[in-house]
């Protein structure tokens, strides 16, 4: 469904000239990163001033990587969601036990940034900071991990027992014994709908059913699912429980 995404390394110490609008977006992003880090680092970011590569330099580099690496999807652009930051061993040692927390906070802000820009990023953004590079330099590799994080459908009404069904990469819903989500209710078609993992997230599609597929009481041909959405096929209602 998607083109191949190969990891690749890029290393530099300077950034090109960008427009005023892009710079305003970048500054707003960096302010959010600074606030997030200050709230979790004892002593704030001042604790890391003058100690090699600064976390805000990493954040700025990753925001640039995300922006420049976005690709055009069928419905919306999508961006890498896995980033490995390679620093010099001395720079990593300076961060010490804070490296994992810094990576986590930057990742959360990259997710918010992508959402604001209307870019899909799969299940979540992950940032790992490791050594083995050159002191004072930032090297980044990135890729798009398209593996399904897993979800669950909880039967709320229409079928006794309150069953729960696990959803992986793809699950077909229907009365057919070969379906991953088997429902016995008569108004459900043999192959009624499917739930498929894409770079947009989990998507439900009607498979030409007799009675339609509904999400939150609205009939859909295809819809991106959100946590807590109520899916209705035939007279069966199921609550979608996503990966987050």
């Amino acid at each position: 469904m998607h083109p191949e995404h190969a990891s690749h390394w890029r290393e530099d110490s300077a950034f090109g000239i960008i427009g005023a609008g892009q710079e305003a977006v970048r500054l707003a992003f960096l302010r959010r990163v600074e606030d997030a880090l200050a709230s979790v680092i004892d002593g704030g970011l001042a604790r890391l001033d003058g100690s090699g590569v600064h976390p805000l330099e990493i954040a700025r580099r990753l925001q640039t990587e995300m922006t420049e690496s976005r690709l055009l999807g069928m419905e919306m652009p999508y961006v890498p969601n896995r980033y490995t930051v390679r620093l010099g061993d001395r720079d990593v040692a300076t961060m010490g036990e804070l490296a994992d927390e810094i990576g986590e906070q930057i990742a959360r802000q990259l997710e918010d940034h992508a959402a604001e820009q209307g870019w899909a990023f799969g299940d979540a953004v992950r940032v790992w900071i490791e050594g083995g590079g050159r002191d004072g330099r930032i090297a980044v590799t990135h890729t798009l991990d398209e593996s399904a994080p897993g979800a669950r459908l909880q039967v709320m009404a229409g079928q006794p027992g309150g069953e729960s069904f696990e959803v992986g990469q793809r699950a077909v819903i229907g009365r057919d014994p070969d379906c991953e989500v088997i429902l016995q209710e008569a108004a459900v078609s043999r192959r009624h709908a499917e739930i498929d993992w894409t770079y947009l997230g989990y998507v439900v599609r009607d498979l030409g059913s007799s009675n339609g597929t509904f999400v939150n009481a609205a009939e859909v041909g295809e819809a991106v699912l959100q946590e807590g959405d109520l899916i209705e096929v035939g007279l069966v209602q199921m609550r979608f429980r996503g990966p987050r």
Side-chain angles (χ1 to χ4, degrees):
M1 180 174 181
H2 311 302
E4 294 297 322
H5 307 284
S7 299
H8 62 280
W9 287 99
R10 291 178 57 191
E11 180 176 354
D12 52 43
S13 57
F15 298 93
I17 298 173
I18 62 176
Q22 291 175 294
E23 182 64 17
V25 169
R26 172 170 290 167
L27 290 175
F29 166 74
L30 291 175
R31 280 194 293 270
R32 292 198 300 269
V33 173
E34 184 174 20
D35 291 343
L37 291 174
S39 68
V40 297
I41 296 177
D42 187 24
L45 284 177
R47 173 177 169 183
L48 298 174
D49 286 348
S51 56
V53 174
H54 195 276
L56 291 183
E57 295 179 71
I58 298 173
R60 177 172 174 168
R61 174 63 183 275
L62 292 181
Q63 192 263 354
T64 298
E65 291 282 340
M66 174 178 277
T67 300
E68 294 182 350
S69 301
R70 65 190 186 277
L71 296 172
L72 183 62
M74 293 180 65
E75 293 87 0
M76 62 193 302
Y78 57 102
V79 292
N81 57 11
R82 301 293 188 264
Y83 299 85
T84 299
V85 179
R86 182 172 292 173
L87 306 177
D89 292 338
R90 190 183 314 165
D91 291 329
V92 174
T94 299
M95 292 182 186
E97 74 282 0
L98 295 176
D100 288 346
E101 186 64 51
I102 290 169
E104 175 69 18
Q105 294 300 321
I106 292 175
R108 297 293 72 75
Q109 297 307 314
L110 285 170
E111 288 180 352
D112 290 346
H113 174 67
E116 289 171 358
Q117 300 302 310
W119 303 336
F121 53 85
D123 63 329
V125 174
R126 303 277 186 262
V127 174
W128 296 278
I129 298 175
E130 61 182 36
R134 292 192 289 171
D135 288 326
R137 302 293 289 260
I138 301 171
V140 175
T141 185
H142 58 70
T143 189
L144 176 64
D145 183 352
E146 297 183 85
S147 57
R152 184 167 51 89
L153 295 176
Q154 179 69 50
V155 175
M156 307 300 293
Q159 179 158 302
E163 291 182 81
S164 179
F165 298 94
E166 298 298 320
V167 178
Q169 186 72 35
R170 180 175 182 267
V172 176
I173 303 168
R175 290 187 292 107
D176 193 301
D178 291 334
C179 290
E180 287 75 21
V181 179
I182 302 174
L183 303 176
Q184 303 301 330
E185 204 276 315
V188 175
S189 298
R190 290 183 62 82
R191 293 174 64 83
H192 194 111
E194 68 175 358
I195 294 179
D196 187 29
W197 173 253
T198 76
Y199 68 92
L200 295 172
Y202 277 103
V203 173
V204 62
R205 298 185 185 90
D206 186 80
L207 297 178
S209 65
S210 299
N211 295 308
T213 298
F214 296 78
V215 176
N216 300 326
E219 186 170 7
V220 299
E222 177 176 310
V224 178
L225 293 171
Q226 305 296 329
E227 171 67 27
D229 278 350
L230 190 65
I231 302 169
E232 185 174 348
V233 293
L235 299 179
V236 179
Q237 293 182 337
M238 297 176 289
R239 186 75 66 186
F240 175 75
R241 298 301 182 191
R244 287 194 265 172

